[in-house]
């Protein structure tokens, strides 16, 4: 540790309903510590963070915090006051202590690129996360607790936060699934696994080697212990060591795909495998020719063309609000471009994982969620699997099969949604921010599943390590309408993109200086734009009402049994209502931005 501890836990134990979540936990935190707290979903990471923050009392053990120190906790899903101004929300102390000085709040909002006079309700997911970060950082706590801080943040904001934490004077404890972020921002590991806490002063880059040695030693010592513990330990060991061997073959195949993509894109000195035009045509899945899209007079995509072949693996990245989901929806046919054409293979079957997540029936069991028609067989891309075995593939225990969905943690629910999405028979798999709230074991599982997927993959993600391991090329939206494609993963994109000055702060790309088109000379919205501005609130409200009504219908546990066809139609209508609301909301935000810019003229 960097110095004497300012916080300690000794023999800490905590549980729910008589069952212990963790026990015998002892560690200290000193100024300058930058620790990552890692473990599977549901193991108790967030609970331990709340104990450190003083929000939960221990069942047994001692908690000591040096008098006068300040602890600030960024919750994984913080409650937000939708009606509050950003300035007022960021000024509220997260720990109940004295508020931060006004100048500190203003400076942090400026560094995070947030308008202090906006309402919280108008912020996107990434902007809301930045507002919460401003709230905890402005008080300059002695111990900064960050629970999944990178969720919903774009890459510039993640890299800015990484740099900030490396130079932070206080102590930092981070829960995150982002390997690249942990490797760059932390230098100590706290591993919560099966109710025990292990720790090392090595950086996260050494986690796999260290954990493999720990598990191997446990296997030697625990051969005669309880069978279930031994099986789980063996599974962990197999998962860590065998993953390296599996990844070698997948990496070789991915590199071949990247060479093919480089050949198509005409990257010099990278192409060794050249496809004939006839072969490209025969394997075409999606072709976009000079597509363009605008919202509120601002260009989202300008004259972008690409060819996506069957079996291609494409990653889409860019700052928050750059239009990643807009481009994705145009490619899969959910949204029409203003100009240009998008052609898709007539036989293409797709499965779509939405970042807003489909509604789950919280009263239904895991088994019923995957087998809504009864029985114990789930069809995984057309092949029958026993539901228990399939759920085990997604890290669920046998005794969870008949448990209600409502009993799962947030990460476990996302894991179940992934299991349901990946079971669908498809040759085009579309994943919009699939890594949010997933633990590292589930991320490794998802990487393995996608590595075995033989169809076409398109995914939107801000997880740099995940992109490097899964995609053969990257489509990058720069936030000013320009879109470029690069062969390789995120690291290749960073090496090959045109050099540009790196901003010190994650200023939003919506500032006038970052937009290519000149500032409009008019001082108010045009007739057509003003009409849309007046119409949009009512349309958004109606779309939200339709979605709410459908969600209530689908939440009825007996609905599917009474009328399966109507249930399917209602689920489809709910997806459409949500997509419609998202498009309307994006259009409204763009018009709001335009009004703000016009008023400055």
């Amino acid at each position: 540790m960097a110095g004497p501890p300012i916080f300690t836990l000794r023999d800490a134990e905590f549980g729910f309903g008589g069952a212990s979540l963790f026990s015998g936990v002892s560690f200290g935190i000193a100024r300058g510590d930058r620790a990552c707290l890692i473990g599977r979903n549901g193991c108790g990471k967030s609970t331990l963070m709340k104990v450190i923050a003083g929000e939960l009392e221990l069942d047994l053990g001692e908690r000591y915090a040096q008098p006068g120190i300040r602890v600030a906790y960024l919750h994984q899903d913080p409650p937000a006051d939708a009606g509050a101004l950003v300035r007022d929300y960021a000024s509220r102390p997260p720990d109940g202590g004295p508020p931060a000085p006004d100048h500190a709040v203003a400076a942090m909002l400026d560094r995070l690129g947030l308008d202090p006079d906006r309402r919280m309700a108008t912020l996107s997911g990434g902007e809301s996360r930045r507002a919460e970060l401003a709230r905890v950082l402005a008080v300059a706590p002695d111990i900064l607790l960050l629970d999944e801080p990178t969720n919903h943040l774009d890459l510039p904001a993640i890299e800015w936060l990484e740099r900030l934490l490396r130079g932070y004077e206080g102590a930092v404890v981070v829960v995150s699934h982002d390997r690249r972020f942990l490797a760059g921002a932390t230098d100590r590991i706290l591993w919560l696994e099966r109710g025990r806490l292990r720790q090392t002063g090595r950086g996260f880059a050494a986690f796999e080697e260290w954990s493999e040695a720990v598990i191997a030693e446990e296997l030697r010592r625990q051969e005669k212990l309880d069978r279930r513990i031994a099986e789980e330990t063996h599974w962990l060991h197999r998962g860590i060591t065998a993953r390296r061997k599996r990844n070698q073959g997948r990496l070789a195949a991915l590199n071949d795909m990247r060479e093919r993509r480089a050949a198509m894109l005409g990257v010099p000195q990278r192409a060794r495998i050249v496809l004939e035009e006839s072969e490209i045509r025969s394997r075409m899945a999606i072709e976009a020719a000079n597509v363009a899209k605008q919202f509120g007079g601002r260009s989202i995509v300008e004259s972008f063309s690409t060819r996506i072949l069957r079996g291609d693996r494409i990653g889409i990245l860019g700052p928050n609000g750059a239009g990643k989901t807009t481009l994705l929806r145009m490619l899969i046919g959910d949204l029409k471009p203003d100009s240009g054409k998008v052609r898709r293979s007539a036989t293409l079957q797709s499965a779509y994982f939405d970042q807003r997540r489909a509604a789950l029936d919280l009263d239904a069991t895991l088994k019923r969620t995957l087998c809504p028609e009864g029985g114990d067989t789930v069809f995984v891309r057309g092949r029958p699997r026993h539901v228990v075995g399939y759920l085990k593939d997604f890290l669920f225990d046998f005794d969870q099969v008949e448990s209600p969905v409502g009993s799962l943690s947030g990460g476990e629910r996302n894991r179940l949604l992934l299991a349901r999405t990946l079971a669908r028979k498809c040759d085009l798999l579309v994943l919009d921010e699939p890594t949010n709230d997933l633990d590292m074991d589930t991320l490794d599982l998802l990487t393995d599943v996608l590595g075995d997927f033989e169809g076409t993959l398109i995914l939107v993600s801000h997880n740099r390590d995940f992109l490097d391991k899964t995609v053969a090329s990257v489509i990058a939206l720069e936030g000013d309408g320009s879109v470029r494609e690069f062969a390789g993963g995120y690291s290749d994109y960073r090496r090959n993109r045109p050099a540009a000055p790196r901003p010190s702060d994650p200023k939003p790309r919506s500032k006038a200086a970052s937009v290519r088109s000149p500032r409009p000379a008019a001082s108010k919205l045009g007739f057509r734009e003003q009409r849309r501005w007046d119409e949009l609130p009512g349309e958004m409200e109606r779309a939200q009402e339709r979605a709410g009504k459908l969600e209530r219908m689908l939440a009825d546990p007996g609905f599917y049994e009474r009328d399966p066809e109507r249930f399917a139609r209602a689920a489809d209508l709910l997806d459409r209502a949500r997509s419609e609301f998202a498009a309307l909301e994006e259009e409204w935000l763009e018009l709001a931005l335009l009004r703000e810019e016009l008023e400055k003229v």
Side-chain angles (χ1 to χ4, degrees):
M1 293 189 302
I6 58 175
F7 175 92
T8 57
L9 282 181
R10 183 175 299 170
D11 297 325
E13 182 173 342
F14 188 91
F16 291 105
S20 178
L21 193 59
F22 55 77
S23 62
V25 169
S26 299
F27 68 95
I29 300 173
R31 295 187 188 277
D33 272 351
R34 291 187 294 276
C36 59
L37 175 60
I38 60 178
R40 292 170 63 177
N41 286 138
C43 72
K45 300 188 298 295
S46 294
T47 300
L48 183 56
M49 294 280 270
K50 291 175 183 177
V51 168
I52 299 172
E55 296 182 6
L56 292 176
E57 295 287 338
L58 291 170
D59 295 334
L60 292 172
E62 298 179 5
R63 174 188 182 275
Y64 170 79
Q66 181 177 301
I69 69 166
R70 193 161 193 179
V71 181
Y73 180 27
L74 174 76
H75 289 255
Q76 184 172 343
D77 295 304
D81 183 353
L85 292 175
V86 170
R87 175 194 299 105
D88 296 336
Y89 182 76
S91 298
R92 297 173 188 171
D95 56 350
D102 290 343
H103 67 84
V105 174
M108 192 56 64
L109 290 175
D110 181 64
R111 293 176 71 186
L112 285 162
L114 290 171
D115 181 352
D117 294 319
R118 288 181 63 183
R119 296 281 177 186
M120 291 294 295
T122 68
L123 302 185
S124 67
E127 289 170 329
S128 297
R129 199 61 169 165
R130 293 208 299 265
E132 187 65 24
L133 276 170
R135 186 175 175 228
V136 298
L137 291 171
V139 299
D142 300 282
I143 300 178
L144 177 62
L145 306 175
L146 302 176
D147 198 346
E148 298 290 2
T150 64
N151 276 358
H152 308 295
L153 291 185
D154 57 21
L155 286 169
I158 291 173
E159 291 171 345
W160 172 84
L161 180 60
E162 186 179 307
R163 295 194 298 272
L164 182 142
L165 296 184
R166 281 201 296 266
Y168 193 72
E169 294 182 356
V172 179
V173 181
V174 181
V175 172
S176 178
H177 61 268
D178 189 327
R179 282 179 164 84
R180 195 75 57 86
F181 176 75
L182 291 179
T186 66
D187 54 18
R188 180 185 175 196
I189 302 172
L190 303 174
W191 182 22
L192 188 59
E193 186 262 329
R194 285 187 286 122
R196 292 177 293 172
L197 186 78
R198 299 176 175 88
Q199 52 187 309
T200 178
R202 303 170 68 183
F204 180 78
F207 172 69
E208 287 200 1
E209 180 184 352
W210 170 67
S211 59
E212 182 179 340
V214 169
I215 295 300
E217 177 62 26
E218 283 204 351
L219 278 173
R220 287 192 290 269
R221 291 189 289 106
Q222 294 183 349
E223 287 180 352
K224 296 183 180 181
L225 292 181
D226 181 83
R227 180 181 177 185
R228 180 170 179 175
I229 294 177
E231 285 180 350
E232 184 175 354
T233 306
H234 177 65
W235 179 90
L236 283 167
H237 177 262
R238 184 180 62 201
I240 292 169
T241 57
R243 184 183 306 137
R244 294 184 182 179
K245 298 178 182 178
R246 292 196 304 272
N247 284 347
Q248 293 305 310
R250 291 197 175 100
L251 182 59
L254 191 58
N255 284 334
D256 282 344
M257 295 174 69
R258 287 173 176 170
E259 294 292 346
R260 289 178 179 271
R261 200 68 189 166
M264 286 185 60
L265 296 175
V267 178
Q269 300 177 352
R270 285 282 306 277
R272 296 182 306 180
I273 305 170
V274 180
L275 299 181
E276 297 292 339
E277 181 69 19
S278 59
E279 184 182 353
I280 291 176
R281 285 293 173 190
S282 66
R283 292 177 50 195
M284 191 72 68
I286 301 172
E287 182 177 23
N290 299 315
V291 295
K293 189 69 179 177
Q294 289 189 343
F295 281 121
R298 193 186 123 252
S299 179
I300 304 296
V301 176
E302 293 179 355
S303 189
F304 174 64
S305 300
T306 189
R307 287 169 165 177
I308 300 175
L309 307 185
R310 292 184 182 274
D312 274 351
R313 315 173 71 78
I314 310 295
I316 300 178
L317 58 85
N320 287 136
K324 299 183 296 296
T325 301
T326 297
L327 176 60
L328 178 66
R329 291 175 60 209
M330 285 195 292
L331 292 175
I332 64 176
D334 282 354
L335 184 66
K336 290 184 178 180
D338 294 337
S339 60
K341 292 183 179 180
V342 178
R343 289 181 288 186
R344 287 165 294 278
S345 169
T347 61
L348 209 58
Q349 291 181 295
S350 62
Y352 183 36
F353 183 85
D354 187 352
Q355 64 171 315
R356 289 176 292 277
R357 312 296 192 244
L360 286 173
D361 182 355
L362 301 184
D363 295 325
T365 63
L366 276 68
K367 179 179 178 181
R368 183 177 172 184
T369 299
L370 294 180
C371 306
E373 297 181 6
D376 54 11
T377 299
V378 56
F379 285 87
V380 181
R381 294 189 290 279
R383 299 177 182 177
R385 289 283 310 276
H386 194 280
V387 66
V388 174
Y390 186 59
L391 283 169
K392 282 186 176 180
D393 287 349
F394 282 82
L395 313 182
F396 289 103
D397 296 329
F398 174 79
D399 54 7
Q400 291 181 285
V401 174
E402 296 293 347
S403 300
V405 174
S407 68
L408 302 179
S409 68
E412 288 172 323
R413 293 182 193 180
N414 287 344
R415 198 190 304 162
L416 180 62
L417 281 169
L418 272 173
R420 190 170 70 176
T421 301
L422 295 172
R424 296 173 184 166
K425 188 176 182 180
C426 67
D427 45 21
L428 171 62
L429 184 58
V430 182
L431 305 176
D432 194 354
E433 296 288 5
T435 64
N436 282 348
D437 303 320
L438 297 183
D439 59 24
M440 291 181 189
D441 284 334
T442 309
L443 273 174
D444 289 334
L445 168 70
L446 180 58
T447 302
D448 285 350
V449 171
L450 296 181
D452 293 335
F453 180 64
E454 297 178 353
T456 305
L457 171 68
I458 304 177
L459 65 89
V460 175
S461 180
H462 293 133
N463 189 308
R464 296 163 287 179
D465 182 72
F466 183 68
L467 286 168
D468 275 341
K469 290 178 178 178
T470 53
V471 303
S473 69
V474 163
I475 297 175
L477 292 89
E478 302 297 345
D480 57 3
S482 61
V483 184
R484 297 188 62 187
E485 189 169 3
F486 300 83
Y490 174 78
S491 297
D492 298 289
Y493 157 72
R494 285 298 301 268
R495 281 194 300 268
N496 297 322
R497 67 180 299 196
R502 187 181 71 179
S504 59
D505 303 315
K507 297 292 185 182
R509 52 117 208 114
S510 57
K511 294 290 184 183
S514 67
V515 180
R516 284 185 173 180
S517 55
R519 178 176 288 180
S523 60
K524 62 180 182 179
L525 296 176
F527 173 76
R528 185 175 301 177
E529 293 163 341
Q530 183 63 48
R531 186 175 65 181
R532 288 301 293 155
W533 174 258
D534 296 335
E535 294 171 346
L536 280 170
E539 293 183 15
M540 291 167 62
E541 184 177 355
R542 289 189 290 274
Q544 202 165 25
E545 287 175 355
R546 287 196 298 274
K549 182 179 179 181
L550 289 163
E551 286 174 350
R552 291 190 292 272
M553 289 174 60
L554 292 168
D556 179 1
F559 185 16
Y560 181 85
E561 294 179 357
R562 291 194 303 270
D563 195 339
E565 291 185 2
R566 190 178 172 211
F567 182 93
R569 289 196 300 272
D572 183 58
L573 289 172
L574 177 58
D575 286 341
R576 293 182 186 179
R578 285 175 171 164
S579 297
E580 179 186 356
F581 178 79
L584 291 170
E585 184 179 42
E586 188 170 357
E587 185 180 357
W588 182 87
L589 288 171
E590 295 298 337
L591 285 175
L593 172 65
L594 182 61
R595 278 169 52 98
E596 179 182 334
E597 293 298 327
L598 290 173
E599 289 171 357
K600 295 177 182 178
V601 176

